[in-house]
Amino acid sequence: MYTTIADIKIPDSKLALGAAELLREHGDELLWNHSHRVYLFGALQGKQANMKYDPELLYISALFHDLGLTKHYSSPDKRFEVDGANAARSYLQQNGVPDESSRLVWDAIALHTTIGVAQYKESEVALIYSGVGYDVMGENFEALTEEVRNQVTIAYPRNNFKNRILPAFLEGFKHKPETTFGNIKADVCGLLLPGFKPTNFCDCVLHSPWQE
């Protein structure tokens, strides 16, 4: 475990280390490296913008943000983001963390793929969203220097991340593709899931049971 990367400290409290152990146990190398890069890229952008945030809560949010994709935490009928958020909230509640802090972490995880909303919420929520966007899609890429990016990716390598993350997403919700209705993960199903037919919102309106 690294202690500091690009002048960002990796939280090492008992709560943070416990969350890291859960990610090690139930995740894999892809999620381990991605989750740490999300924390670091989020924290770096927060530092750059002089935002105040709780590093421990940001770190735990990053560690849990994709755990809803894993078999251990995946439900049969909820969005994977909600599964991860519920797992994090349960972990925090079991460790006596105040409800307000648990809510912040829940929101950060549940909203991390919600474009147009998460970036306007509290710092922890906004920074998880921006950390994910930076690592997955290269959003705001030039905000960080190449030197800083290299420090992060040397510590937590990408290892062909572009080509590995989309199948990893699908593996996490291919048993419940209907949960991607209305969110960006429907694009993953459309690309990789044979025979997938996305639900159309306009059809839902026009074919509703209202008699008119």
Side-chain angles (χ1 to χ4, degrees):
M1 289 276 294
Y2 290 83
T3 56
T4 302
I5 297 114
D7 294 326
I8 299 295
K9 185 181 185 299
I10 302 293
D12 59 359
S13 65
K14 181 179 179 181
L15 194 67
L17 293 175
E21 283 304 309
L22 289 175
L23 177 56
R24 279 198 184 279
E25 180 180 358
H26 301 295
D28 57 16
E29 167 265 339
L30 179 73
L31 293 186
W32 176 264
N33 287 340
H34 168 55
S35 297
H36 280 84
R37 292 195 307 271
V38 165
Y39 167 70
L40 290 165
F41 288 140
L44 284 162
Q45 291 180 83
K47 180 180 179 181
Q48 192 175 68
N50 293 315
M51 295 171 66
K52 294 182 178 180
Y53 63 91
D54 186 318
E56 182 182 57
L57 295 183
L58 188 70
Y59 182 60
I60 291 170
S61 298
L63 296 182
F64 273 93
H65 89 278
D66 274 347
L67 272 178
L69 295 169
T70 67
K71 290 182 179 179
H72 182 78
Y73 291 110
S74 180
S75 70
D77 59 353
K78 296 180 182 65
R79 285 179 58 163
F80 85 91
E81 300 96 330
V82 171
D83 287 336
N86 286 345
R89 180 170 59 191
S90 176
Y91 171 73
L92 294 174
Q93 289 175 339
Q94 289 170 19
N95 283 276
V97 173
D99 288 345
E100 178 61 17
S101 295
S102 297
R103 183 194 64 77
L104 269 179
V105 170
W106 194 96
D107 284 356
I109 299 168
L111 295 173
H112 81 265
T113 62
T114 304
I115 296 171
V117 174
Q119 62 264 49
Y120 300 111
K121 288 183 64 65
E122 297 91 343
S123 295
E124 291 80 6
V125 181
L127 291 177
I128 288 297
Y129 175 80
S130 61
V132 169
Y134 196 97
D135 196 49
V136 176
M137 297 184 292
E139 288 186 342
N140 205 26
F141 195 66
E142 298 304 324
L144 303 178
T145 66
E146 183 178 4
E147 179 185 1
V148 167
R149 291 196 298 268
N150 286 342
Q151 289 181 53
V152 173
T153 57
I154 287 170
Y156 298 101
R158 289 180 64 82
N159 294 336
N160 198 29
F161 180 77
K162 277 186 180 181
N163 293 308
R164 296 171 65 200
I165 191 58
L166 294 178
F169 284 145
L170 182 65
E171 189 63 29
F173 49 69
K174 67 182 182 181
H175 62 292
K176 49 179 180 180
E178 68 281 356
T179 63
T180 66
F181 172 49
N183 69 78
I184 59 176
K185 291 303 186 286
D187 293 343
V188 177
C189 294
L191 179 67
L192 299 176
L193 188 61
F196 175 70
K197 293 183 179 180
T199 302
N200 185 286
F201 169 69
C202 295
D203 289 339
C204 292
V205 173
L206 295 173
H207 299 137
S208 78
W210 287 103
Q211 300 300 313
E212 58 195 24

